[in-house]
């Protein structure tokens, strides 16, 4: 069962995590990834937590091997692993925030006195990528039935054809989705200049405060003490 977390807490955690990953070294990135995985477990995303845990573990193992290698292509692979470890904590927290209903998210952001344009951009962005994933799954299902999917090995010899029958429809559908999201927002009175009301009760519980306090302690501990080497000077 998924746990309800105040959207304001989720947003603060996402912003804080985004800032921390930009300043973190590789050892500190491990700690931030571990926190993100435990956050998924706390939020009730058990399957996603297992998948992210395996990805982080595999990436860390590959990165450890790269540090002992001298081949140029292996070093490039290490750079890709470093990017995964750096962005995985942010993507993980954003995954939980995606599950918040749009109305509840906008009401929570409005209570923080954030600019309206920023709130709209955030709400549309968090809804855009899940919809694109659903559309891509539909297109891939249709392409597999016709034997044109890039997931089928026989089409790897014809990449341009696979691109034409899979990615081009996705791009066309993306343009259509943008218009639909805009029309939906206008229908709901998103351009109304007055103060918006909401049916959602935005209230921060003691558990929300606890997870925020735990994140602050984790951030201070991670950047004050090296997990494998004592105090950072």
């Amino acid at each position: 069962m998924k746990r309800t977390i105040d959207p304001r807490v989720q947003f603060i955690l996402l912003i804080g995590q985004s800032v921390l990953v930009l300043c973190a070294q590789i050892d500190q990135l491990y700690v931030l990834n571990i926190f993100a995985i435990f956050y998924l477990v706390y939020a009730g995303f058990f399957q996603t937590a297992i998948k992210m845990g395996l990805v982080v573990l595999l990436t860390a193992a590959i990165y450890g091997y790269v540090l002992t290698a001298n081949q140029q292509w292996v070093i490039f692979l290490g750079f890709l692993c470093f990017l995964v470890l750096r962005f995985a904590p942010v993507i993980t927290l954003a995954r939980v925030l995606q599950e918040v209903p749009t109305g509840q998210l906008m009401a929570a952001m409005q209570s923080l006195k954030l600019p309206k344009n920023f709130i709209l951009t955030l709400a549309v962005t968090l809804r855009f990528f899940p919809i694109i994933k659903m559309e891509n799954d539909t297109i891939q299902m249709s392409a597999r039935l016709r034997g044109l999917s890039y997931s089928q090995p026989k089409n790897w010899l014809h990449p341009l054809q696979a691109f034409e029958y899979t990615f081009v429809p996705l791009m066309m559908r993306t343009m259509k989705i943008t218009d639909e999201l805009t029309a939906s927002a206008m229908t709901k009175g998103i351009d109304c200049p007055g103060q918006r009301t909401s049916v959602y009760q935005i209230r921060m519980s003691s558990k929300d405060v606890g997870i925020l306090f735990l994140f602050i302690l984790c951030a201070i501990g991670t950047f004050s003490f090296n997990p494998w080497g004592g105090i950072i000077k």
Side-chain angles (χ1 to χ4, degrees):
M1 182 178 179
K2 295 181 180 179
R3 190 188 302 270
T4 301
I5 304 175
D6 190 289
R8 293 170 295 183
V9 174
Q10 297 189 45
F11 177 73
I12 294 173
L13 292 179
L14 179 60
I15 296 299
Q17 191 83 305
S18 301
V19 174
L20 292 179
V21 296
L22 294 177
C23 308
Q25 300 176 2
I26 185 64
D27 293 341
Q28 296 163 342
L29 289 176
Y30 291 145
V31 178
L32 295 178
N33 277 282
I34 292 173
F35 173 83
I37 294 172
F38 277 106
Y39 179 75
L40 283 175
V41 175
Y42 173 80
F45 293 78
F46 301 109
Q47 293 184 352
T48 307
I50 294 174
K51 293 178 182 179
M52 287 300 299
L54 293 176
V55 170
V56 171
L57 185 62
L58 179 61
T59 305
I62 296 176
Y63 186 79
Y65 168 75
V66 168
L67 295 178
T68 61
N70 295 322
Q71 294 88 348
Q72 188 65 33
W73 69 272
V74 176
I75 296 176
F76 177 74
L77 180 62
F79 175 73
L80 295 179
C81 293
F82 181 76
L83 291 180
V84 172
L85 293 174
R86 185 167 293 275
F87 290 105
V90 179
I91 296 175
T92 301
L93 268 64
R95 172 67 182 88
V96 179
L97 189 59
Q98 282 182 343
E99 296 297 317
V100 179
T102 304
Q104 184 179 4
L105 176 64
M106 296 188 65
M109 296 300 100
Q110 185 174 284
S111 66
L112 295 176
K113 307 301 181 182
L114 296 177
K116 186 175 182 179
N117 291 337
F118 175 79
I119 297 175
L120 293 177
T121 303
L122 178 64
V124 171
T125 302
L126 291 176
R127 285 293 166 268
F128 182 77
F129 289 104
I131 294 177
I132 287 299
K133 182 180 182 302
M134 293 173 57
E135 293 293 336
N136 180 66
D137 293 341
T138 303
I139 293 173
Q140 290 303 316
M141 183 183 301
S142 176
R144 279 194 297 269
L145 293 175
R146 300 181 181 183
L148 300 172
S149 175
Y150 62 79
S151 61
Q152 297 171 319
K154 68 177 183 179
N155 292 319
W156 295 350
L157 299 177
H158 308 282
L160 294 180
Q161 184 180 13
F163 177 84
E164 179 181 358
Y165 287 104
T166 57
F167 288 101
V168 173
L170 180 61
M171 290 187 290
M172 298 298 295
R173 185 57 186 157
T174 299
M175 298 174 60
K176 183 68 174 178
I177 290 174
T178 303
D179 294 337
E180 292 176 353
L181 289 175
T182 303
S184 175
M186 295 292 290
T187 302
K188 296 178 181 179
I190 202 66
D191 57 340
C192 178
Q195 183 75 10
R196 290 176 55 86
T197 58
S198 176
V199 298
Y200 294 99
Q201 296 293 329
I202 306 300
R203 185 180 298 107
M204 189 177 298
S205 66
S206 58
K207 294 181 180 180
D208 296 330
V209 177
I211 192 67
L212 185 59
F213 182 70
L214 181 62
F215 173 75
I216 295 175
L217 289 180
C218 179
I220 294 175
T222 301
F223 285 85
S224 299
F225 297 89
N226 188 334
W228 290 272
I231 300 176
I232 296 177
K233 298 182 180 180

mmCIF file of all heavy atoms in Angstrom, residues 45-62:
data_model
loop_
_atom_site.group_PDB
_atom_site.id
_atom_site.type_symbol
_atom_site.label_atom_id
_atom_site.label_comp_id
_atom_site.label_asym_id
_atom_site.label_seq_id
_atom_site.Cartn_x
_atom_site.Cartn_y
_atom_site.Cartn_z
ATOM 1 N N PHE A 45 6.590 2.131 -2.804
ATOM 2 C CA PHE A 45 6.961 1.731 -4.165
ATOM 3 C C PHE A 45 7.987 0.595 -4.076
ATOM 4 O O PHE A 45 9.168 0.775 -4.381
ATOM 5 C CB PHE A 45 7.529 2.922 -4.929
ATOM 6 C CG PHE A 45 6.546 3.999 -5.224
ATOM 7 C CD1 PHE A 45 6.166 4.903 -4.243
ATOM 8 C CD2 PHE A 45 5.979 4.120 -6.480
ATOM 9 C CE1 PHE A 45 5.260 5.913 -4.507
ATOM 10 C CE2 PHE A 45 5.055 5.120 -6.763
ATOM 11 C CZ PHE A 45 4.696 6.021 -5.765
ATOM 12 N N PHE A 46 7.521 -0.562 -3.667
ATOM 13 C CA PHE A 46 8.447 -1.662 -3.386
ATOM 14 C C PHE A 46 9.101 -2.206 -4.654
ATOM 15 O O PHE A 46 10.314 -2.457 -4.668
ATOM 16 C CB PHE A 46 7.709 -2.781 -2.642
ATOM 17 C CG PHE A 46 7.103 -2.340 -1.347
ATOM 18 C CD1 PHE A 46 5.727 -2.222 -1.209
ATOM 19 C CD2 PHE A 46 7.901 -2.018 -0.259
ATOM 20 C CE1 PHE A 46 5.161 -1.809 -0.012
ATOM 21 C CE2 PHE A 46 7.350 -1.599 0.944
ATOM 22 C CZ PHE A 46 5.978 -1.496 1.061
ATOM 23 N N GLN A 47 8.337 -2.402 -5.702
ATOM 24 C CA GLN A 47 8.909 -2.915 -6.943
ATOM 25 C C GLN A 47 9.904 -1.934 -7.543
ATOM 26 O O GLN A 47 10.983 -2.332 -8.010
ATOM 27 C CB GLN A 47 7.796 -3.228 -7.948
ATOM 28 C CG GLN A 47 6.894 -4.383 -7.544
ATOM 29 C CD GLN A 47 5.868 -4.717 -8.605
ATOM 30 O OE1 GLN A 47 5.722 -4.005 -9.598
ATOM 31 N NE2 GLN A 47 5.132 -5.791 -8.399
ATOM 32 N N THR A 48 9.546 -0.654 -7.525
ATOM 33 C CA THR A 48 10.466 0.359 -8.041
ATOM 34 C C THR A 48 11.735 0.419 -7.204
ATOM 35 O O THR A 48 12.836 0.604 -7.731
ATOM 36 C CB THR A 48 9.784 1.736 -8.053
ATOM 37 O OG1 THR A 48 8.541 1.661 -8.761
ATOM 38 C CG2 THR A 48 10.669 2.776 -8.716
ATOM 39 N N ALA A 49 11.590 0.247 -5.881
ATOM 40 C CA ALA A 49 12.760 0.262 -4.999
ATOM 41 C C ALA A 49 13.696 -0.903 -5.318
ATOM 42 O O ALA A 49 14.928 -0.734 -5.330
ATOM 43 C CB ALA A 49 12.310 0.206 -3.544
ATOM 44 N N ILE A 50 13.135 -2.082 -5.591
ATOM 45 C CA ILE A 50 13.964 -3.242 -5.928
ATOM 46 C C ILE A 50 14.693 -3.001 -7.253
ATOM 47 O O ILE A 50 15.905 -3.273 -7.373
ATOM 48 C CB ILE A 50 13.107 -4.511 -6.003
ATOM 49 C CG1 ILE A 50 12.544 -4.863 -4.618
ATOM 50 C CG2 ILE A 50 13.918 -5.679 -6.559
ATOM 51 C CD1 ILE A 50 11.578 -6.023 -4.630
ATOM 52 N N LYS A 51 13.988 -2.472 -8.237
ATOM 53 C CA LYS A 51 14.605 -2.206 -9.529
ATOM 54 C C LYS A 51 15.716 -1.172 -9.408
ATOM 55 O O LYS A 51 16.813 -1.347 -9.954
ATOM 56 C CB LYS A 51 13.544 -1.725 -10.528
ATOM 57 C CG LYS A 51 12.521 -2.787 -10.899
ATOM 58 C CD LYS A 51 11.480 -2.220 -11.850
ATOM 59 C CE LYS A 51 10.420 -3.262 -12.191
ATOM 60 N NZ LYS A 51 9.372 -2.712 -13.096
ATOM 61 N N MET A 52 15.441 -0.078 -8.683
ATOM 62 C CA MET A 52 16.455 0.959 -8.516
ATOM 63 C C MET A 52 17.641 0.441 -7.719
ATOM 64 O O MET A 52 18.790 0.787 -8.006
ATOM 65 C CB MET A 52 15.842 2.177 -7.824
ATOM 66 C CG MET A 52 14.905 3.000 -8.689
ATOM 67 S SD MET A 52 15.721 3.657 -10.164
ATOM 68 C CE MET A 52 17.005 4.662 -9.428
ATOM 69 N N GLY A 53 17.364 -0.402 -6.722
ATOM 70 C CA GLY A 53 18.457 -0.981 -5.951
ATOM 71 C C GLY A 53 19.373 -1.826 -6.810
ATOM 72 O O GLY A 53 20.607 -1.749 -6.699
ATOM 73 N N LEU A 54 18.789 -2.631 -7.697
ATOM 74 C CA LEU A 54 19.594 -3.463 -8.595
ATOM 75 C C LEU A 54 20.388 -2.601 -9.583
ATOM 76 O O LEU A 54 21.554 -2.894 -9.871
ATOM 77 C CB LEU A 54 18.687 -4.439 -9.352
ATOM 78 C CG LEU A 54 18.013 -5.528 -8.506
ATOM 79 C CD1 LEU A 54 17.066 -6.363 -9.358
ATOM 80 C CD2 LEU A 54 19.053 -6.417 -7.833
ATOM 81 N N VAL A 55 19.748 -1.548 -10.089
ATOM 82 C CA VAL A 55 20.435 -0.649 -11.029
ATOM 83 C C VAL A 55 21.620 0.031 -10.358
ATOM 84 O O VAL A 55 22.728 0.086 -10.912
ATOM 85 C CB VAL A 55 19.451 0.396 -11.592
ATOM 86 C CG1 VAL A 55 20.197 1.482 -12.366
ATOM 87 C CG2 VAL A 55 18.428 -0.266 -12.501
ATOM 88 N N VAL A 56 21.394 0.560 -9.162
ATOM 89 C CA VAL A 56 22.475 1.250 -8.442
ATOM 90 C C VAL A 56 23.586 0.277 -8.088
ATOM 91 O O VAL A 56 24.785 0.587 -8.222
ATOM 92 C CB VAL A 56 21.919 1.934 -7.177
ATOM 93 C CG1 VAL A 56 23.054 2.462 -6.309
ATOM 94 C CG2 VAL A 56 20.979 3.069 -7.564
ATOM 95 N N LEU A 57 23.230 -0.934 -7.640
ATOM 96 C CA LEU A 57 24.234 -1.931 -7.277
ATOM 97 C C LEU A 57 25.069 -2.342 -8.481
ATOM 98 O O LEU A 57 26.303 -2.422 -8.407
ATOM 99 C CB LEU A 57 23.552 -3.148 -6.663
ATOM 100 C CG LEU A 57 24.466 -4.256 -6.114
ATOM 101 C CD1 LEU A 57 25.331 -3.703 -4.985
ATOM 102 C CD2 LEU A 57 23.644 -5.438 -5.634
ATOM 103 N N LEU A 58 24.398 -2.588 -9.619
ATOM 104 C CA LEU A 58 25.114 -2.969 -10.832
ATOM 105 C C LEU A 58 25.992 -1.830 -11.334
ATOM 106 O O LEU A 58 27.147 -2.045 -11.743
ATOM 107 C CB LEU A 58 24.108 -3.381 -11.910
ATOM 108 C CG LEU A 58 24.693 -3.792 -13.272
ATOM 109 C CD1 LEU A 58 25.610 -5.004 -13.118
ATOM 110 C CD2 LEU A 58 23.577 -4.090 -14.265
ATOM 111 N N THR A 59 25.464 -0.613 -11.296
ATOM 112 C CA THR A 59 26.238 0.543 -11.755
ATOM 113 C C THR A 59 27.454 0.780 -10.884
ATOM 114 O O THR A 59 28.543 1.084 -11.383
ATOM 115 C CB THR A 59 25.347 1.801 -11.754
ATOM 116 O OG1 THR A 59 24.171 1.564 -12.543
ATOM 117 C CG2 THR A 59 26.093 2.989 -12.334
ATOM 118 N N ALA A 60 27.272 0.636 -9.564
ATOM 119 C CA ALA A 60 28.407 0.806 -8.653
ATOM 120 C C ALA A 60 29.472 -0.261 -8.889
ATOM 121 O O ALA A 60 30.683 0.029 -8.825
ATOM 122 C CB ALA A 60 27.915 0.754 -7.208
ATOM 123 N N ALA A 61 29.047 -1.486 -9.182
ATOM 124 C CA ALA A 61 30.011 -2.561 -9.457
ATOM 125 C C ALA A 61 30.793 -2.281 -10.739
ATOM 126 O O ALA A 61 32.016 -2.463 -10.791
ATOM 127 C CB ALA A 61 29.276 -3.897 -9.552
ATOM 128 N N ILE A 62 30.097 -1.833 -11.780
ATOM 129 C CA ILE A 62 30.769 -1.509 -13.046
ATOM 130 C C ILE A 62 31.731 -0.338 -12.854
ATOM 131 O O ILE A 62 32.851 -0.344 -13.368
ATOM 132 C CB ILE A 62 29.730 -1.192 -14.137
ATOM 133 C CG1 ILE A 62 28.881 -2.425 -14.442
ATOM 134 C CG2 ILE A 62 30.423 -0.699 -15.405
ATOM 135 C CD1 ILE A 62 27.764 -2.165 -15.429
#
